[in-house]
Every structure is written in C-alpha cells, then in structure tokens.
C-alpha cells in the first residue's frame, strides 16, 4: 500500500475509523438551504463514498444567540432532527461516519443579539456583544449538551465541540476577550470552566460510545491569547473530562496572519500539534494546508499527529482517499488553497463551491459521471483552464476529443500563475488535467495554432473555442518605449526588470507581479521557517498567542503599484486573502498609489498625475498589467461557415474573468452537449 500510515485504521475503543483522514468542518451554505438538507446529504454521501475516514459537518449552533448569521443552521429542537437524519442516513449508506460540529459564534456572530463572556468587540465584527449573565452561561452549557444529544438521536456518530478559531469557547479561554471577575474569568482555571463543563455535560448526555472531538485552539495568533502551558493544561483537562479525540485549531479569525491561504507552506502547523504528542492518551488530529496524500503520510509517519484533517481538499476532490488508496494520487484534483470559491463565497453570503471542482456543493444537480449515448467528434481550441475543463468532461462522457494548443504546454495562464511566489500550488491543477487527458484518451495537439480553415476541414460536430485572452495595451503616450514591458515578459523571464519598476494596474495580476518582483533573493531556512518569521509566528511559543515581531524583507527592487481608480488598492482581490497580499507588499516597501492618471512614458520614467499632483516615477521599467481582452478571432469565420461553436472562458468575456469562471464554463459547455447531442 502506498500510504501505510494514512490507511491504518484508528481504533477508538467503541468504534474503529477505517483510515486516518478527517474531512474537517467547513461551512458550505447548504446547511441553511430549505431542502431538508438533501443537497448537503448528497455532498457528504459522495465524500463518504470517496473514502474519508470521518467527516465533520459545518458549524451548527446550539441556540439562536450562537448563530453565525441570522437564521443560521441550528440544532436545538426535535423538528430539526429529521432533516439531519437525511444527512446521516446518506452517509451511513456509503459506509461513512460523520460528526456534527457544535459551534457558538459568540462575539463573531453577524447579528445584533450576539453574546460573549465580556462586552469586548472584535475588530472584524460590526457589533459589540452583550455580556453573558451567569444564568445564560449555564443555559448555554446545557444547550451544547442538548444539541449533542439531539445529534446522537439524528444518527450522527459523534460531535465536534468547536473550541477554537476565536469563537465563543475560545473567547472564554483567552484573556483577550474574557475580562470577567466572577468564577468564569480571571484565573486560568476560571477561564477554562466553560469548555470543561461543556465537555463533561456533552459526555454525560451522549454516553461512552459516542465520538466527542474537542477542537482546541493550540495557537491563537493574537495578542492576549493562550500560552502553550495553558493549551497543554486545557488539553489534559479536556481529555480527563471525556473527549475521544483532540483536534487542532490554528489562529483566530481576527488574527492578521494567513493560516490556510496558498502562500502558507504545506503542513506548516503540524509542529503545533506535535508539541502535545506523548502528553495525552487520546488521539490528536492535526490540520491546515495538508492537501496531498504524500504530505498526510509524511506527517503521520513522522509522528506529528494520529490523524490528519483536510477540509478543502475533500471539496476539491471527493475521491481523494479512494484515489490515494488505489495508487492514483496523480488523478487527485488538488486543492490549490486559493479560497476563491469556498471561503470567499461563504464570507460573501454565497454557497461555497470550488475553483477546481465545478460540481462541488452541486452533487445532486450534476451527477459525477455521465456517458453519452451518442459519442461525437469534438474540437477544443486552447488548453487553458477553460479548454482543459471542457476537454476532460467531454472525454469522460466518451466523445472523441481533439484539444489544440498553440504553445508547447497545457495550462494557459496557469503557467504564469504558478511562477508567482506562494502560488506554486497552481501547477497541481495542470498536473491533474495532464492525468485526465491521458485517462480519457483526449488527442492533445501541442504547438498547434489552429485556423478556422483547419477546424472546418476536421469534420467536428462541435467546436469549443477556449483561446483565452490577450493583454490590454493601454493608450498612453510612449507605450512603445523600450522600458515598457508586459507581465508576460516578466513572468516568462523574457525580461528581467531593473532595480526599479512601476506597475500599471493593481488587479490580481498587478499584485502578483509586485509579489514576483519583490520576492526575497534568498530565504534563510526552510519555506516554513521563512513564512513563520515573515508573519511573526514564534516557534518557541514564548509569548501569549504564539506571536512575535515579524521579520521584514524589504525588497532590493523599488516597486510602485498604481491604479487609476480611487479607494482601496486591490479592492477586487479575494476577501480572505487580499489583506495578506496588501500587508506583504507594504512590508516589502512597495509604494501603492490610487487615483493615478498616466501621462506619458519617457527615458525619465513614468510621468503621472497623482491626486492632481504631477510626478515622475523614475522607474527602469514600466510593467503593464492593465487587464485583458478576449481572443476570439476564430469565432466569426467558423460561425459564417455554419459550424456549431461555443466560446468559453476568457475568449468569451475577459472582464471579471478568473479561473473559477473559466473552469465552470468549460464544464457547463461540455455538460450542455449531452442534452443537445445532435
Ligand atoms: P487561458 O488561460 O488564457 O488559455 C488560453 C489558451 O489558448 C492558451 O494556452 C493559448 O496558448 C491557447 N490558444 C490561443 N489561441 C489559440 C489557437 N488559435 N490555437 C490553439 N491554442 C490557442 N485566476 C484565478 O482565478 N486565480 C488566480 O489566483 C489567478 N492568478 C493568476 C496569476 C497570473 C500571473 C495570471 C496571468 C493569471 C491568473 N489568473 C488567476 C487568471 C486565470 O489564469 C485565467 O482566468 C484563466 O487562465 C483563463 O482561462 P482560459 O482557459 O479562458 O484562458
Ligand atoms: P483586473 O483584475 O481586471 O485588473 C486590471 C487592472 O488594470 C485594474 O487595476 C484596472 O484598474 C487597470 N486598468 C484597466 N484598464 C486600464 C487602462 N486602459 N489603462 C490603465 N489601467 C487599466 O485584471 P488582471 O489583473 O489582468 O487579472 C485578470 C484576471 O485574472 C482577473 O479577472 C483576476 O480575477 C484574475 N486573477 C485573479 C487573481 C487572484 O488572486 N484571485 C490573481 C491574478 C489574476 P484601474 O482601472 O483602476 O486603473
Ligand atoms: Fe481549494 Fe480553492 Fe477549491 Fe477552495 S476553491 S477548495 S481553496 S481549490
């Protein structure tokens, strides 16, 4: 077997898990849908079939005050039990196991009835919480226990008590948010009374043969968080109070340190869990940025933890574990940690999806495999994300697919994206599609820039144009000056910019180019050590919260990042990642300027007017990152000749394009053919 540690069963005494993978809790938005949780049931059933050892639902509140948002998912009454049975029975039918996560949002709740140990507002919340009375504290403990009992009644195999990420329980534990002077605050033993009583009552109410995972915040990453000594004492007390397993929580939501984004090295936080190894008798689960079976196996083999939690990787590929077990890890659709369609959607009030998996959270509407009763011959032009997605889906349906790519490699713009420091994961998507093209026998023609004429001679029943974009060349005096270069020149290495560069355009690509141009020439230590130093994470855990002063890496290159619009730079970057890019660039000394008018480019540099003031930016190079235009020259001649053509991705519309949309459109175009085969 390829991954002996990952696939070794975990005996919990009263039950055994078939392997060491936990599909970690992740809110999808399906929890609140008014469909009796049927879509959620299909979502979990598919992941149970795909081999997850144990799964945890998104956070379900024990009462109304604990709602994350108004009318959030809650389990506090019998009427809600039957809806949850749809989930548990679907999972058990696939030989899976599932726990319900009980989450009380505390001061993170996005409604005005929020409560917390003390009336201390978090800077990420619009509301100040109400201080909990002694009576409310007691009834909330009972509510946790009641929800756990209802979860058992609904058929769950266990519960996870959410004690981390800065939610209510965590708010009691840390002095940062607990300013009480009664028996629930002050001393450490008072601050942990709330979690311990919850743990004890949950165990009392659910019996000994029920999984109770407690998620301990092992590294708060905020000032006035816990010390490691306190984490250890809490874990021991939670074990004594009857937990079956302890899961790792890293970072409060209000921490200004990225903990799961793509710039975080794989397995960067397993060391935190390892600090408790050997101190507890019950299994320890580790988490954060573990996205391949190889990394999971390494962590288990080297004794960092007893089980590995992965949440987004199961969103990206429900069959993660069965593929790993069959020795087909090259076929895993790897989560690239972009957050774009999962967390960014959730934080914008939308249902989660996945950039690399267009079926995620829509498993009922889009069954996994469809075989076409009428296979046809199709051409896909362009092997960027849109073309690859379409060709893969058409191949899976059993069509004869010819994929034409002008360059010598598949991947389109992902070949540039993967060169950005911190976006190396993007190469995994190209690797995945390489395996899929081979698996489905797609005829891939590289170095082939097809013309409309060639396509028309090819006798294709369908032609999908996925030729992507061409960079926009803005109309600025001096745009053809030798110091003007495009982002493609920079990222392909065709031009190495001098000691100073002005970037025109602060969209996703402008930010990425700024990251690329200011990356440190060398890094000291491993990527993990470098990341920890850059973000001020203290491996010796000397201070509360495990934080220390960040080490600044001022760039050797002077960079200006410019945009015409007023307001915040990079406003359209991802909600959960944009702030981290802004902090990084600021720390590297990048000058970010909005409200800029570009006047001309000369030997002296870029002449601009900023907020009405004329200046000359003395840059060696001016890098154009001013958006993109669709490349669809094949469309008109093919249509005129009567071919059946669909245009997808950037070729269809370059504005607001991203890979999520490109992959989705490729998939949808291929799926629509099954409904209109002739
Ligand atoms: P493309 O990726 O442009 O692919 C088009 C393909 O068609 C190319 O390979 C081209 O060679 C080929 N082609 C063109 N004409 C012909 C022809 N006549 N015959 C044959 N082949 C042809 N998006 C995100 O969502 N998240 C990110 O973090 C992100 N980061 C990025 C970072 C960088 C540096 C860049 C450049 C882009 C990034 N993007 C990101 C954008 C994302 O890569 C694009 O949205 C996506 O690649 C568009 O896919 P597409 O298939 O429509 O086009
Ligand atoms: P973009 O995000 O649309 O940004 C284009 C930038 O160019 C904007 O800053 C725009 O701002 C400026 N601009 C537009 N027209 C201009 C003109 N005529 N003259 C001067 N400036 C002009 O596009 P992009 O950066 O090219 O990225 C392409 C796509 O890839 C985007 O849709 C993006 O979502 C995706 N992408 C995403 C990420 C990510 O991390 N999620 C990373 C890279 C790329 P002003 O008009 O204010 O000047
Ligand atoms: Fe992973 Fe991105 Fe998919 Fe989220 S959207 S699961 S981060 S690949």
């Amino acid at each position: 077997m390829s991954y002996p540690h990952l696939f070794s069963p975990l005996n919990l005494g009263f039950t055994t898990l078939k392997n060491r993978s936990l599909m970690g809790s992740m809110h999808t938005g399906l929890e609140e849908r008014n469909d009796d949780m049927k879509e959620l049931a299909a979502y979990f059933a598919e992941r149970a079939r795909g081999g997850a050892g144990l799964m945890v639902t998104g956070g379900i509140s024990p009462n109304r005050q604990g709602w994350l948002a108004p009318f959030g998912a809650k389990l506090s009454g019998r009427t809600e039990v039957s809806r949850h049975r749809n989930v548990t029975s679907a999972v058990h039918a696939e030989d899976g196991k599932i726990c319900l996560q009980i989450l009380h949002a505390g001061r993170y709740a996005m409604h005005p009835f929020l409560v917390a140990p003390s009336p201390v507002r978090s800077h990420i919340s619009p509301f100040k919480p109400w201080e909990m009375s002694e009576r409310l504290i007691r009834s909330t403990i009972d509510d946790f226990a009641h929800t756990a009992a209802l979860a058992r009644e609904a058929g769950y195999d266990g519960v996870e008590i959410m004690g981390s990420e800065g939610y209510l329980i965590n708010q009691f534990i840390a002095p940062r948010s607990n300013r009480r002077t009664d028996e629930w605050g002050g001393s450490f033993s008072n601050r942990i009374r709330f979690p311990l009583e919850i743990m004890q009552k949950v165990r009392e109410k659910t019996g000994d043969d029920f999984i109770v995972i407690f998620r301990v915040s092992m590294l708060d990453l905020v000032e006035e968080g816990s010390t490691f000594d306190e984490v250890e004492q809490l874990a021991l007390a939670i074990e004594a109070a009857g937990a079956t397993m302890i899961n790792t929580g890293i970072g409060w939501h209000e921490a200004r340190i990225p903990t799961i984004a793509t710039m975080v090295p794989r397995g960067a936080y397993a060391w935190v869990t390892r600090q408790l190894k050997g101190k507890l008798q019950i299994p320890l689960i580790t988490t954060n940025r573990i996205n391949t079976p190889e990394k999971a196996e390494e962590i288990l083999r080297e004794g960092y933890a007893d089980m590995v939690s992965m949440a987004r990787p199961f969103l990206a590929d429900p069959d993660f574990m069965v593929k790993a077990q069959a020795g087909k890890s090259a076929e895993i659709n790897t989560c690239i940690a972009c957050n774009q369609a999962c967390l960014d959607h959730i934080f914008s009030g939308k249902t989660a999806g996945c950039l690399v998996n267009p079926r995620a959270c829509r498993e009922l509407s889009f069954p996994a495999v469809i075989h076409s009763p009428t296979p046809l011959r199709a051409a896909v032009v362009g092997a960027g994300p849109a073309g690859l997605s379409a060709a893969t889906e058409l191949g899976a349906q059993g069509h004869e697919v010819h994929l034409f790519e002008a360059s010598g490699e598949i991947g389109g713009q992902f070949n540039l994206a993967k060169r950005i420091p911190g976006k190396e994961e993007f190469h995994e998507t190209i690797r995945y599609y390489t395996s899929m093209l081979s698996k489905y026998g797609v005829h891939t023609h590289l170095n082939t820039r097809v013309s409309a004429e060639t396509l028309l001679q090819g006798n294709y029943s369908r032609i999908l144009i996925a030729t992507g974009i061409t960079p926009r060349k803005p109309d600025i005096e001096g745009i053809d000056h030798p110091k003007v270069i495009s982002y493609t020149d920079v990222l392909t290495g065709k031009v190495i910019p001098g000691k100073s560069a002005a970037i025109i355009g602060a969209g996703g690509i402008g930010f990425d180019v700024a990251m690329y141009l200011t990356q440190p020439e060398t890094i000291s230590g491993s990527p993990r050590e470098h990341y920890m130093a850059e973000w001020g994470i203290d491996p010796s855990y000397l201070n509360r919260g495990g934080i220390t002063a960040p080490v600044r890496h001022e760039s050797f290159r002077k960079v200006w990042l410019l945009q015409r619009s007023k307001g915040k730079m990079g406003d359209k970057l991802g909600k959960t990642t944009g702030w981290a890019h802004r902090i990084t660039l600021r720390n590297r000394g990048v000058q970010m300027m909005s409200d800029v008018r570009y006047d001309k480019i000369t030997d002296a540099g870029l002449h601009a007017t900023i907020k009405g003031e004329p200046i000359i930016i003395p840059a060696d190079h001016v890098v154009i990152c001013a958006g993109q235009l669709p490349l669809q020259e094949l469309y008109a001649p093919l249509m005129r000749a009567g071919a059946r053509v669909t245009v997808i991705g950037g070729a269809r519309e370059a504005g607001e394009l991203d890979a999520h949309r490109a992959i989705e459109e490729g998939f949808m175009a291929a799926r629509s053919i099954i409904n209109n085969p002739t």
Side-chain angles (χ1 to χ4, degrees):
M1 193 193 294
S2 317
Y3 309 102
H5 295 83
L6 182 57
F7 285 97
S8 88
L10 183 59
N11 186 348
L12 300 175
F14 56 91
T15 187
T16 299
L17 306 180
K18 61 184 162 200
N19 59 53
R20 304 295 178 112
S21 71
L22 177 87
M23 178 179 161
S25 172
M26 194 165 49
H27 198 78
T28 59
L30 300 177
E31 297 80 0
E32 284 87 19
R33 199 171 275 180
N34 198 10
D35 67 348
D36 280 335
M37 294 193 163
K38 295 220 170 90
E39 189 78 66
L40 190 65
Y43 164 84
F44 278 120
E46 190 158 318
R47 279 137 185 103
R49 195 158 53 243
L54 178 64
M55 302 184 291
V56 182
T57 66
I60 307 286
S61 169
N63 57 29
R64 282 207 175 89
Q65 288 126 343
W67 275 342
L68 272 165
F71 307 105
K74 171 175 78 60
L75 176 59
S76 58
R78 285 254 139 58
T79 47
E80 289 150 332
V81 167
S82 63
R83 301 171 64 223
H84 283 270
R85 278 215 185 95
N86 287 330
V87 172
T88 54
S89 52
V91 167
H92 293 152
E94 299 293 350
D95 192 28
K97 286 190 165 48
I98 185 161
C99 293
L100 176 118
Q101 188 188 68
I102 314 178
L103 180 152
H104 189 302
R107 69 177 188 162
Y108 282 167
M110 286 296 173
H111 58 75
F113 312 109
L114 70 176
V115 296
S118 305
V120 185
R121 187 173 76 87
S122 153
H123 69 265
I124 60 166
S125 173
F127 308 111
K128 186 174 166 186
W130 301 93
E131 183 174 71
M132 291 171 82
S133 65
E134 163 88 23
R135 199 159 146 228
L136 183 59
I137 292 174
R138 292 247 165 249
S139 68
T140 304
I141 293 169
D142 289 342
D143 290 344
F144 268 88
H146 183 54
T147 298
L150 291 176
R152 182 166 188 145
E153 200 178 318
Y156 284 101
D157 301 278
V159 291
E160 177 174 76
I161 301 170
M162 180 45 150
S164 65
E165 260 72 2
Y167 290 116
L168 182 70
I169 292 178
N170 215 173
Q171 291 159 24
F172 268 92
I173 297 167
R176 179 181 181 81
S177 42
N178 186 342
R179 305 282 159 84
R180 301 180 75 96
T181 51
D182 60 6
E183 62 171 323
W184 304 96
S187 67
F188 175 63
S189 55
N190 278 355
R191 284 184 274 117
I192 64 168
R193 193 182 305 282
F194 185 66
L196 291 186
E197 291 208 8
I198 288 175
M199 183 59 238
Q200 281 155 2
K201 281 235 160 120
V202 164
R203 181 52 83 204
E204 266 166 44
K205 281 262 190 169
T206 55
D208 289 339
D209 56 348
F210 192 62
I211 300 170
V212 182
I213 307 169
F214 195 101
R215 188 136 175 220
V216 171
S217 183
M218 291 195 197
L219 186 69
D220 290 333
L221 297 178
V222 287
E223 282 169 7
E224 296 184 83
S226 297
T227 62
F228 179 69
D229 188 43
E230 288 176 347
V231 169
E232 186 180 329
Q233 286 184 55
L234 173 65
L236 288 165
I238 290 288
E239 177 180 45
T244 317
M245 293 192 276
I246 286 187
N247 195 0
T248 305
I250 300 289
W252 288 32
H253 285 314
E254 66 203 66
R256 290 293 83 178
I257 295 175
T259 53
I260 58 167
T262 191
M263 78 262 277
V264 179
R266 287 181 182 172
Y269 287 98
W271 67 273
V272 181
T273 316
R274 185 159 70 176
Q275 296 202 320
L276 288 180
K277 276 289 278 180
K279 296 178 175 164
L280 304 171
Q281 305 304 312
I282 57 175
L284 278 167
I285 306 166
T286 196
T287 181
N288 283 46
R289 282 292 280 120
I290 301 163
N291 64 341
T292 64
E294 290 76 14
K295 193 76 211 171
E297 176 68 15
E298 179 193 315
I299 285 171
L300 294 168
R301 187 182 57 237
E302 295 186 5
Y304 284 84
D306 305 291
M307 196 167 185
V308 161
S309 170
M310 296 175 277
R312 297 170 301 167
F314 282 107
L315 190 61
D317 196 333
D319 293 329
F320 185 102
M321 291 300 284
V322 290
K323 287 179 183 173
Q325 194 160 26
K328 295 180 177 172
S329 71
E331 291 187 9
I332 292 176
N333 196 1
T334 304
C335 164
I336 57 174
C338 63
N339 283 0
Q340 279 176 242
C342 52
L343 289 185
D344 285 349
H345 273 205
I346 287 297
F347 282 98
S348 317
K350 297 188 212 157
T351 304
C354 173
L355 181 140
V356 299
N357 173 11
R359 292 185 52 252
C361 300
R362 301 192 289 191
E363 286 76 9
L364 266 188
S365 328
F366 298 101
V369 189
I370 289 188
H371 292 290
S372 172
T374 47
L376 43 82
R377 184 173 149 86
V380 179
V381 188
L388 289 169
S389 167
T392 295
E393 178 54 29
L394 286 171
Q397 289 174 22
H399 301 295
E400 179 188 334
V401 187
H402 290 263
L403 174 63
F404 298 97
E405 169 53 46
S407 74
E409 58 186 355
I410 67 162
Q413 294 175 65
F414 265 32
N415 288 306
L416 299 179
K418 73 183 185 191
R419 297 200 169 105
I420 306 298
K423 277 193 170 179
E424 295 81 1
E425 290 287 359
F426 281 59
H427 89 268
E428 296 291 358
T429 304
I430 302 176
R431 183 265 309 144
Y432 164 73
Y433 280 122
T434 304
S435 319
M436 291 300 107
L437 298 182
S438 152
K439 177 173 176 173
Y440 296 122
V442 171
H443 305 272
T444 306
H445 310 273
L446 297 178
N447 299 306
T448 309
R449 179 174 290 278
V450 273
S451 62
E453 209 175 31
T454 316
L455 287 166
L456 289 168
Q457 285 163 3
N459 200 23
Y460 299 108
S461 318
R462 286 292 201 297
I463 301 172
L464 275 71
I465 299 180
T467 45
I469 52 83
T470 185
R472 177 184 283 122
K473 188 173 169 185
D475 186 15
I476 303 171
E477 186 184 333
I479 192 74
D480 292 320
H481 191 281
K483 65 168 60 194
V484 179
I485 52 177
S486 158
Y487 64 85
T488 56
D489 297 327
V490 175
L491 298 177
T492 54
K494 194 171 145 201
V495 180
I496 298 172
K499 288 249 175 245
S500 59
I503 301 172
I504 288 187
I509 293 178
F511 263 78
D512 276 354
V513 168
M515 286 285 199
Y516 182 87
L517 291 177
T518 56
Q519 63 187 303
E521 283 180 294
T522 51
I523 61 164
S524 53
S526 65
R528 180 176 67 85
E529 286 161 341
H530 175 78
Y531 152 79
M532 286 177 50
E534 187 172 23
W535 288 98
I537 304 160
D538 178 13
S540 51
Y541 215 141
L542 293 176
N543 301 318
R544 283 197 170 276
I547 48 177
T548 183
V551 175
R552 298 254 153 96
H553 299 281
E554 186 101 7
S555 165
F556 77 99
R557 188 180 272 124
K558 176 80 199 142
V559 171
W560 293 263
L561 179 60
L562 313 164
Q563 69 180 27
R564 296 173 306 174
S565 37
K566 295 184 176 148
K568 193 157 92 182
M569 300 290 291
D571 211 15
K572 289 196 200 140
L573 297 182
K575 248 186 167 16
T576 60
T577 49
W579 59 270
H581 293 302
R582 276 188 290 273
I583 292 176
T584 307
L585 294 186
R586 213 175 297 131
N587 288 347
R588 291 181 184 175
V590 173
Q591 257 188 284
M592 293 182 254
M593 297 167 163
S594 55
D595 197 4
V596 179
R597 193 184 75 210
Y598 311 113
D599 298 326
K600 60 180 173 181
I601 299 154
T602 67
D603 289 348
L606 172 64
H607 302 244
T609 306
I610 299 180
K611 296 187 171 69
E613 289 293 315
I615 64 157
I616 300 174
I617 297 173
D620 293 335
H621 282 99
V622 177
V623 189
I624 306 296
C625 304
Q628 305 175 326
L629 300 169
L631 195 61
Q632 45 175 239
E633 64 220 13
L634 294 172
Y635 181 69
L638 288 172
M639 287 301 281
R640 272 199 302 275
R644 295 192 69 176
V645 187
T646 309
V647 190
I648 53 176
R652 188 181 69 73
E653 166 67 63
E656 306 286 318
L657 170 70
D658 64 10
H660 178 224
R661 201 192 90 200
I663 290 174
E664 157 113 2
E665 284 185 16
F667 174 78
M668 288 299 182
R671 280 279 160 123
S672 74
I673 288 177
I674 203 106
N675 301 324
N676 305 288
T678 52

